[in-house]
Amino acid sequence: MSVQDVDRPLMIGNRSFQSRLLVGTGKYRDYDETAAAIEASEAEIVTFAVRRTTLGQSADGPGLLDIISPERYTLLPNTAGCYTAKDAVRTCHLARELLDGHNLVKLEVLGDSETLYPNVVETLKAADELLSHGFEVMVYTSDDPIVAKELERRGCAAVMPLGSLIGSGHGLQNPYNLRLIAEQAEVPVLVDAGIGTASDAAMAMELGYDAVLVNSAIAHARQPVLMGQAMKQAVTAGRNAYLAGRMPRRQSADPSSPFAGRIND
Amino acid sequence: MQIQLNGETTSLDGNPTIRDLVESLDLTRRRIAVEVNEEIVPRSQHSAKALADGDRVEIVHAIGGG
């Protein structure tokens, strides 16, 4: 029995994906490194930010969407940097225009610039409005199981709690809450922030997450391309371990080699 | 006339359209999105939509982010 027989593709709305690793495009040294690391990660969904064009500068040279093309990748514009529902909704409308009507967005509404912790009140408001305008919303939120369920109930396509603060690399700080969220979810759940290294990504998948979203851990690794590959392997390993089902923990030792037939018997 | 362009006060001659503004900024070959007074102006309407004094114009593009 091959792994393909066991697992299903990741479904976000009616889109299906083989990869369960989503990656961001921030913090890379340059576009070459961005492209190479994402290639190595084999991610199919790639996030980006929407920002004012810099005026008065030459428009020569490639833009991000020339490197990460909408033909090859499923692009996921984010609302990073928005502190109100209104700004987040405006940003999503701009992103939809930018991508010729593409409806899938990553909603994040932040509470303050120190923690970048999600403001769930504004997030709920923004989610309602975006859903009423026909967006498919993958939503960044806290690790509160009640809020996660509420976002699902309102119609979000995926719920994405933080493992720890954005860009902190502190891994999964509350695996118990994260497990509760995964266990009760009826839409895909992703760990969206805080992944610091491959084992964090594997742990998220072992907890039952459908996918993880990683940016800083790849972009700020000493060798981003190698870390992109490591994350791919970790997500696959964690997913397979989850599907395989871990052995029960025991209080005492249990020899792997049989006692019978020992030469000192 | 004067508009707010990406948050900066900008003077424009004549009665330019969005298309004229985008051309003057050398952004025609770029993948951009334009909002005027917090309403999206679809690409198909850039040539038809004339700017007015006091308009708040945002021109955005995609950049790296997570």
Side-chain angles (χ1 to χ4, degrees), chain A residues 132-185:
Chain A
S132 77
H133 284 106
F135 285 94
E136 288 182 80
V137 180
M138 299 177 70
V139 59
Y140 173 63
T141 186
S142 62
D143 59 13
D144 179 333
I146 306 303
V147 172
K149 197 68 189 170
E150 182 61 24
L151 287 162
E152 172 186 307
R153 198 185 63 75
R154 291 180 187 216
C156 291
V159 176
M160 310 197 291
L162 50 76
S164 51
L165 299 183
I166 292 172
S168 71
H170 280 174
L172 311 189
Q173 284 299 303
N174 195 340
Y176 303 99
N177 272 28
L178 289 173
R179 186 193 295 276
L180 286 174
I181 291 170
E183 282 174 353
Q184 69 178 9

Short mmCIF file of all heavy atoms in Angstrom, two decimals, chain A residues 132-185:
data_model
loop_
_atom_site.label_atom_id
_atom_site.label_comp_id
_atom_site.label_asym_id
_atom_site.label_seq_id
_atom_site.Cartn_x
_atom_site.Cartn_y
_atom_site.Cartn_z
N SER A 132 -19.40 37.92 2.41
CA SER A 132 -20.59 38.46 1.73
C SER A 132 -20.25 39.01 0.35
O SER A 132 -21.12 39.18 -0.49
CB SER A 132 -21.26 39.53 2.59
OG SER A 132 -20.52 40.74 2.52
N HIS A 133 -18.94 39.32 0.13
CA HIS A 133 -18.51 39.80 -1.19
C HIS A 133 -17.92 38.68 -2.05
O HIS A 133 -17.24 38.96 -3.05
CB HIS A 133 -17.49 40.92 -1.04
CG HIS A 133 -18.10 42.24 -0.64
ND1 HIS A 133 -17.98 42.76 0.63
CD2 HIS A 133 -18.87 43.10 -1.32
CE1 HIS A 133 -18.64 43.91 0.70
NE2 HIS A 133 -19.18 44.14 -0.47
N GLY A 134 -18.12 37.44 -1.65
CA GLY A 134 -17.73 36.33 -2.50
C GLY A 134 -16.27 35.90 -2.39
O GLY A 134 -15.79 35.13 -3.22
N PHE A 135 -15.56 36.37 -1.35
CA PHE A 135 -14.18 35.91 -1.16
C PHE A 135 -14.17 34.54 -0.48
O PHE A 135 -15.09 34.20 0.26
CB PHE A 135 -13.40 36.90 -0.28
CG PHE A 135 -13.03 38.17 -0.97
CD1 PHE A 135 -13.84 39.29 -0.88
CD2 PHE A 135 -11.86 38.25 -1.72
CE1 PHE A 135 -13.50 40.48 -1.53
CE2 PHE A 135 -11.52 39.43 -2.36
CZ PHE A 135 -12.33 40.54 -2.27
N GLU A 136 -13.11 33.77 -0.77
CA GLU A 136 -12.82 32.56 0.00
C GLU A 136 -11.75 32.96 1.00
O GLU A 136 -10.67 33.42 0.61
CB GLU A 136 -12.30 31.45 -0.89
CG GLU A 136 -13.36 30.85 -1.79
CD GLU A 136 -12.78 29.73 -2.63
OE1 GLU A 136 -12.63 28.62 -2.13
OE2 GLU A 136 -12.44 30.00 -3.79
N VAL A 137 -12.06 32.78 2.27
CA VAL A 137 -11.23 33.37 3.32
C VAL A 137 -10.48 32.30 4.11
O VAL A 137 -11.09 31.44 4.74
CB VAL A 137 -12.10 34.22 4.28
CG1 VAL A 137 -11.24 34.84 5.37
CG2 VAL A 137 -12.85 35.31 3.50
N MET A 138 -9.16 32.38 4.05
CA MET A 138 -8.31 31.59 4.94
C MET A 138 -7.89 32.56 6.03
O MET A 138 -7.26 33.58 5.75
CB MET A 138 -7.09 31.04 4.18
CG MET A 138 -7.51 30.13 3.02
SD MET A 138 -6.11 29.52 2.04
CE MET A 138 -5.34 28.38 3.21
N VAL A 139 -8.23 32.24 7.27
CA VAL A 139 -8.16 33.27 8.30
C VAL A 139 -7.14 32.95 9.39
O VAL A 139 -7.15 31.87 9.97
CB VAL A 139 -9.57 33.54 8.89
CG1 VAL A 139 -10.18 32.29 9.51
CG2 VAL A 139 -9.54 34.69 9.89
N TYR A 140 -6.27 33.93 9.62
CA TYR A 140 -5.29 33.86 10.71
C TYR A 140 -5.98 34.24 12.00
O TYR A 140 -6.70 35.24 12.06
CB TYR A 140 -4.16 34.85 10.41
CG TYR A 140 -3.14 35.02 11.52
CD1 TYR A 140 -2.36 33.94 11.91
CD2 TYR A 140 -2.96 36.24 12.15
CE1 TYR A 140 -1.43 34.08 12.94
CE2 TYR A 140 -2.02 36.40 13.16
CZ TYR A 140 -1.26 35.31 13.54
OH TYR A 140 -0.34 35.46 14.55
N THR A 141 -5.77 33.42 13.04
CA THR A 141 -6.44 33.73 14.31
C THR A 141 -5.60 33.27 15.49
O THR A 141 -4.50 32.72 15.31
CB THR A 141 -7.86 33.10 14.33
OG1 THR A 141 -8.55 33.53 15.51
CG2 THR A 141 -7.80 31.59 14.29
N SER A 142 -6.12 33.53 16.68
CA SER A 142 -5.45 33.09 17.90
C SER A 142 -5.68 31.58 18.08
O SER A 142 -6.41 30.96 17.31
CB SER A 142 -6.02 33.85 19.09
OG SER A 142 -7.40 33.55 19.22
N ASP A 143 -5.07 31.01 19.12
CA ASP A 143 -5.26 29.56 19.34
C ASP A 143 -6.43 29.29 20.29
O ASP A 143 -6.41 28.35 21.07
CB ASP A 143 -3.96 28.91 19.82
CG ASP A 143 -3.44 29.51 21.12
OD1 ASP A 143 -4.21 30.25 21.79
OD2 ASP A 143 -2.28 29.26 21.48
N ASP A 144 -7.47 30.13 20.18
CA ASP A 144 -8.68 29.97 20.98
C ASP A 144 -9.66 29.06 20.21
O ASP A 144 -10.11 29.42 19.12
CB ASP A 144 -9.30 31.37 21.20
CG ASP A 144 -10.59 31.33 22.00
OD1 ASP A 144 -11.29 30.30 21.96
OD2 ASP A 144 -10.90 32.34 22.64
N PRO A 145 -9.97 27.88 20.76
CA PRO A 145 -10.82 26.93 20.03
C PRO A 145 -12.22 27.47 19.74
O PRO A 145 -12.83 27.10 18.73
CB PRO A 145 -10.90 25.72 20.97
CG PRO A 145 -9.81 25.89 21.95
CD PRO A 145 -9.51 27.35 22.05
N ILE A 146 -12.74 28.33 20.62
CA ILE A 146 -14.09 28.85 20.42
C ILE A 146 -14.10 29.82 19.24
O ILE A 146 -14.99 29.80 18.39
CB ILE A 146 -14.60 29.56 21.71
CG1 ILE A 146 -14.50 28.63 22.92
CG2 ILE A 146 -16.03 30.06 21.51
CD1 ILE A 146 -15.24 27.31 22.78
N VAL A 147 -13.08 30.67 19.18
CA VAL A 147 -12.98 31.62 18.05
C VAL A 147 -12.76 30.86 16.75
O VAL A 147 -13.37 31.17 15.73
CB VAL A 147 -11.83 32.64 18.29
CG1 VAL A 147 -11.60 33.48 17.05
CG2 VAL A 147 -12.15 33.52 19.49
N ALA A 148 -11.91 29.84 16.80
CA ALA A 148 -11.63 29.05 15.59
C ALA A 148 -12.93 28.43 15.06
O ALA A 148 -13.20 28.47 13.84
CB ALA A 148 -10.61 27.96 15.90
N LYS A 149 -13.73 27.89 15.96
CA LYS A 149 -15.00 27.26 15.55
C LYS A 149 -15.96 28.31 14.99
O LYS A 149 -16.68 28.06 14.02
CB LYS A 149 -15.62 26.54 16.75
CG LYS A 149 -16.67 25.54 16.37
CD LYS A 149 -16.05 24.35 15.63
CE LYS A 149 -17.11 23.44 15.04
NZ LYS A 149 -16.54 22.45 14.14
N GLU A 150 -15.96 29.48 15.61
CA GLU A 150 -16.85 30.56 15.16
C GLU A 150 -16.48 31.00 13.74
O GLU A 150 -17.35 31.24 12.90
CB GLU A 150 -16.76 31.73 16.14
CG GLU A 150 -17.67 32.90 15.83
CD GLU A 150 -19.16 32.54 15.84
OE1 GLU A 150 -19.55 31.56 16.50
OE2 GLU A 150 -19.93 33.26 15.16
N LEU A 151 -15.19 31.10 13.45
CA LEU A 151 -14.74 31.50 12.11
C LEU A 151 -15.17 30.44 11.08
O LEU A 151 -15.58 30.77 9.97
CB LEU A 151 -13.23 31.72 12.09
CG LEU A 151 -12.78 33.00 12.79
CD1 LEU A 151 -11.28 32.94 13.13
CD2 LEU A 151 -13.08 34.24 11.95
N GLU A 152 -15.06 29.19 11.48
CA GLU A 152 -15.53 28.11 10.60
C GLU A 152 -17.05 28.22 10.37
O GLU A 152 -17.52 28.14 9.23
CB GLU A 152 -15.20 26.75 11.24
CG GLU A 152 -15.80 25.57 10.51
CD GLU A 152 -15.58 24.26 11.25
OE1 GLU A 152 -14.42 23.94 11.58
OE2 GLU A 152 -16.57 23.55 11.49
N ARG A 153 -17.79 28.45 11.45
CA ARG A 153 -19.25 28.52 11.38
C ARG A 153 -19.70 29.65 10.44
O ARG A 153 -20.68 29.53 9.73
CB ARG A 153 -19.81 28.77 12.78
CG ARG A 153 -21.28 28.46 12.94
CD ARG A 153 -21.78 28.85 14.32
NE ARG A 153 -21.70 30.29 14.57
CZ ARG A 153 -22.51 31.20 14.06
NH1 ARG A 153 -23.48 30.84 13.24
NH2 ARG A 153 -22.34 32.48 14.33
N ARG A 154 -18.92 30.73 10.41
CA ARG A 154 -19.30 31.86 9.56
C ARG A 154 -18.98 31.63 8.08
O ARG A 154 -19.36 32.43 7.23
CB ARG A 154 -18.60 33.13 10.05
CG ARG A 154 -19.17 33.56 11.39
CD ARG A 154 -18.51 34.80 11.91
NE ARG A 154 -18.98 35.06 13.27
CZ ARG A 154 -19.20 36.27 13.75
NH1 ARG A 154 -19.00 37.34 13.01
NH2 ARG A 154 -19.61 36.42 14.99
N GLY A 155 -18.19 30.58 7.81
CA GLY A 155 -17.99 30.23 6.40
C GLY A 155 -16.57 30.36 5.89
O GLY A 155 -16.34 30.29 4.67
N CYS A 156 -15.59 30.54 6.79
CA CYS A 156 -14.20 30.64 6.32
C CYS A 156 -13.76 29.30 5.71
O CYS A 156 -14.15 28.23 6.17
CB CYS A 156 -13.27 31.02 7.46
SG CYS A 156 -13.54 32.72 8.00
N ALA A 157 -12.94 29.38 4.67
CA ALA A 157 -12.51 28.19 3.94
C ALA A 157 -11.44 27.41 4.70
O ALA A 157 -11.28 26.20 4.51
CB ALA A 157 -11.98 28.58 2.57
N ALA A 158 -10.68 28.11 5.54
CA ALA A 158 -9.65 27.47 6.36
C ALA A 158 -9.40 28.35 7.56
O ALA A 158 -9.49 29.58 7.47
CB ALA A 158 -8.35 27.28 5.57
N VAL A 159 -9.08 27.71 8.69
CA VAL A 159 -8.81 28.44 9.92
C VAL A 159 -7.35 28.20 10.29
O VAL A 159 -6.88 27.06 10.28
CB VAL A 159 -9.77 27.99 11.05
CG1 VAL A 159 -9.43 28.68 12.37
CG2 VAL A 159 -11.22 28.26 10.65
N MET A 160 -6.65 29.31 10.59
CA MET A 160 -5.19 29.22 10.72
C MET A 160 -4.71 29.86 12.04
O MET A 160 -4.32 31.02 12.08
CB MET A 160 -4.53 29.90 9.53
CG MET A 160 -5.11 29.43 8.19
SD MET A 160 -4.10 29.82 6.78
CE MET A 160 -4.26 31.60 6.70
N PRO A 161 -4.74 29.07 13.13
CA PRO A 161 -4.24 29.61 14.39
C PRO A 161 -2.72 29.75 14.39
O PRO A 161 -2.02 29.07 13.63
CB PRO A 161 -4.68 28.56 15.41
CG PRO A 161 -4.82 27.30 14.64
CD PRO A 161 -5.25 27.69 13.25
N LEU A 162 -2.24 30.62 15.26
CA LEU A 162 -0.79 30.80 15.40
C LEU A 162 -0.21 29.70 16.26
O LEU A 162 -0.85 29.20 17.19
CB LEU A 162 -0.48 32.17 16.00
CG LEU A 162 -1.20 32.64 17.27
CD1 LEU A 162 -0.64 31.97 18.51
CD2 LEU A 162 -1.04 34.15 17.41
N GLY A 163 1.02 29.29 15.95
CA GLY A 163 1.78 28.42 16.83
C GLY A 163 2.44 29.25 17.92
O GLY A 163 2.49 28.89 19.09
N SER A 164 2.97 30.39 17.52
CA SER A 164 3.49 31.43 18.42
C SER A 164 3.52 32.71 17.58
O SER A 164 3.04 32.73 16.45
CB SER A 164 4.87 31.05 18.98
OG SER A 164 5.75 30.66 17.94
N LEU A 165 4.10 33.78 18.15
CA LEU A 165 4.00 35.08 17.47
C LEU A 165 4.65 35.05 16.08
O LEU A 165 5.66 34.37 15.86
CB LEU A 165 4.67 36.17 18.31
CG LEU A 165 4.08 36.40 19.71
CD1 LEU A 165 4.79 37.56 20.40
CD2 LEU A 165 2.58 36.62 19.66
N ILE A 166 4.07 35.81 15.17
CA ILE A 166 4.56 35.91 13.79
C ILE A 166 6.06 36.24 13.79
O ILE A 166 6.49 37.19 14.46
CB ILE A 166 3.79 37.01 13.03
CG1 ILE A 166 2.34 36.61 12.80
CG2 ILE A 166 4.47 37.33 11.68
CD1 ILE A 166 1.46 37.71 12.22
N GLY A 167 6.81 35.46 13.07
CA GLY A 167 8.23 35.75 12.91
C GLY A 167 9.10 35.43 14.12
O GLY A 167 10.30 35.67 14.10
N SER A 168 8.47 34.86 15.19
CA SER A 168 9.25 34.62 16.42
C SER A 168 10.06 33.33 16.34
O SER A 168 11.08 33.19 17.02
CB SER A 168 8.32 34.57 17.64
OG SER A 168 7.55 33.37 17.61
N GLY A 169 9.60 32.37 15.56
CA GLY A 169 10.29 31.08 15.50
C GLY A 169 10.22 30.29 16.79
O GLY A 169 11.03 29.40 17.03
N HIS A 170 9.21 30.60 17.63
CA HIS A 170 9.09 29.91 18.93
C HIS A 170 8.32 28.61 18.86
O HIS A 170 8.03 28.00 19.90
CB HIS A 170 8.48 30.85 19.97
CG HIS A 170 9.48 31.82 20.53
ND1 HIS A 170 9.14 32.83 21.38
CD2 HIS A 170 10.80 31.92 20.35
CE1 HIS A 170 10.23 33.52 21.70
NE2 HIS A 170 11.25 32.99 21.07
N GLY A 171 7.94 28.19 17.67
CA GLY A 171 7.29 26.89 17.52
C GLY A 171 5.87 26.88 18.05
O GLY A 171 5.20 27.91 18.07
N LEU A 172 5.42 25.70 18.48
CA LEU A 172 4.03 25.55 18.94
C LEU A 172 3.99 25.74 20.45
O LEU A 172 4.38 24.86 21.20
CB LEU A 172 3.48 24.18 18.56
CG LEU A 172 3.69 23.73 17.10
CD1 LEU A 172 2.91 22.46 16.82
CD2 LEU A 172 3.33 24.82 16.11
N GLN A 173 3.55 26.92 20.90
CA GLN A 173 3.59 27.24 22.32
C GLN A 173 2.44 26.62 23.09
O GLN A 173 2.53 26.45 24.29
CB GLN A 173 3.58 28.77 22.50
CG GLN A 173 4.93 29.39 22.20
CD GLN A 173 6.01 28.86 23.14
OE1 GLN A 173 5.89 28.96 24.35
NE2 GLN A 173 7.05 28.27 22.57
N ASN A 174 1.34 26.33 22.43
CA ASN A 174 0.21 25.73 23.15
C ASN A 174 -0.36 24.55 22.36
O ASN A 174 -1.44 24.63 21.78
CB ASN A 174 -0.88 26.78 23.41
CG ASN A 174 -1.87 26.32 24.45
OD1 ASN A 174 -1.98 25.11 24.71
ND2 ASN A 174 -2.62 27.25 25.02
N PRO A 175 0.39 23.44 22.34
CA PRO A 175 -0.05 22.30 21.54
C PRO A 175 -1.40 21.74 21.99
O PRO A 175 -2.12 21.13 21.19
CB PRO A 175 1.07 21.27 21.71
CG PRO A 175 1.89 21.74 22.85
CD PRO A 175 1.70 23.22 22.97
N TYR A 176 -1.76 21.97 23.26
CA TYR A 176 -3.04 21.43 23.76
C TYR A 176 -4.21 22.17 23.11
O TYR A 176 -5.16 21.56 22.66
CB TYR A 176 -3.07 21.51 25.29
CG TYR A 176 -1.90 20.77 25.88
CD1 TYR A 176 -0.76 21.46 26.29
CD2 TYR A 176 -1.90 19.38 25.95
CE1 TYR A 176 0.35 20.78 26.78
CE2 TYR A 176 -0.79 18.69 26.43
CZ TYR A 176 0.33 19.39 26.84
OH TYR A 176 1.42 18.71 27.29
N ASN A 177 -4.12 23.50 23.07
CA ASN A 177 -5.16 24.27 22.37
C ASN A 177 -5.16 23.93 20.88
O ASN A 177 -6.22 23.78 20.27
CB ASN A 177 -4.92 25.77 22.52
CG ASN A 177 -5.56 26.33 23.76
OD1 ASN A 177 -5.72 25.60 24.73
ND2 ASN A 177 -5.91 27.61 23.73
N LEU A 178 -3.97 23.84 20.32
CA LEU A 178 -3.90 23.56 18.88
C LEU A 178 -4.55 22.22 18.55
O LEU A 178 -5.24 22.08 17.55
CB LEU A 178 -2.45 23.60 18.40
CG LEU A 178 -1.80 24.99 18.37
CD1 LEU A 178 -0.31 24.89 18.05
CD2 LEU A 178 -2.48 25.90 17.34
N ARG A 179 -4.34 21.25 19.43
CA ARG A 179 -4.96 19.94 19.20
C ARG A 179 -6.48 20.03 19.28
O ARG A 179 -7.20 19.45 18.46
CB ARG A 179 -4.43 18.90 20.20
CG ARG A 179 -4.93 17.48 19.88
CD ARG A 179 -4.68 16.53 21.01
NE ARG A 179 -3.27 16.30 21.26
CZ ARG A 179 -2.52 15.41 20.59
NH1 ARG A 179 -3.06 14.71 19.61
NH2 ARG A 179 -1.25 15.26 20.87
N LEU A 180 -6.98 20.78 20.28
CA LEU A 180 -8.44 20.95 20.40
C LEU A 180 -9.02 21.54 19.12
O LEU A 180 -10.06 21.11 18.63
CB LEU A 180 -8.76 21.89 21.57
CG LEU A 180 -8.61 21.34 22.99
CD1 LEU A 180 -8.84 22.45 24.00
CD2 LEU A 180 -9.57 20.18 23.23
N ILE A 181 -8.33 22.54 18.59
CA ILE A 181 -8.81 23.19 17.36
C ILE A 181 -8.84 22.20 16.21
O ILE A 181 -9.82 22.11 15.46
CB ILE A 181 -7.94 24.42 17.03
CG1 ILE A 181 -8.17 25.52 18.07
CG2 ILE A 181 -8.23 24.94 15.63
CD1 ILE A 181 -7.19 26.68 18.00
N ALA A 182 -7.76 21.42 16.08
CA ALA A 182 -7.69 20.44 14.98
C ALA A 182 -8.77 19.37 15.12
O ALA A 182 -9.40 18.98 14.14
CB ALA A 182 -6.30 19.82 14.93
N GLU A 183 -8.97 18.91 16.36
CA GLU A 183 -9.92 17.81 16.58
C GLU A 183 -11.36 18.20 16.25
O GLU A 183 -12.14 17.38 15.79
CB GLU A 183 -9.83 17.31 18.03
CG GLU A 183 -8.62 16.42 18.26
CD GLU A 183 -8.43 16.04 19.72
OE1 GLU A 183 -9.17 16.57 20.60
OE2 GLU A 183 -7.54 15.23 19.98
N GLN A 184 -11.70 19.46 16.50
CA GLN A 184 -13.10 19.86 16.30
C GLN A 184 -13.36 20.44 14.90
O GLN A 184 -14.50 20.67 14.53
CB GLN A 184 -13.50 20.89 17.35
CG GLN A 184 -12.79 22.22 17.14
CD GLN A 184 -13.19 23.28 18.15
OE1 GLN A 184 -13.88 23.01 19.11
NE2 GLN A 184 -12.76 24.50 17.91
N ALA A 185 -12.29 20.65 14.12
CA ALA A 185 -12.44 21.38 12.86
C ALA A 185 -13.14 20.56 11.79
O ALA A 185 -12.91 19.36 11.66
CB ALA A 185 -11.07 21.82 12.35
#
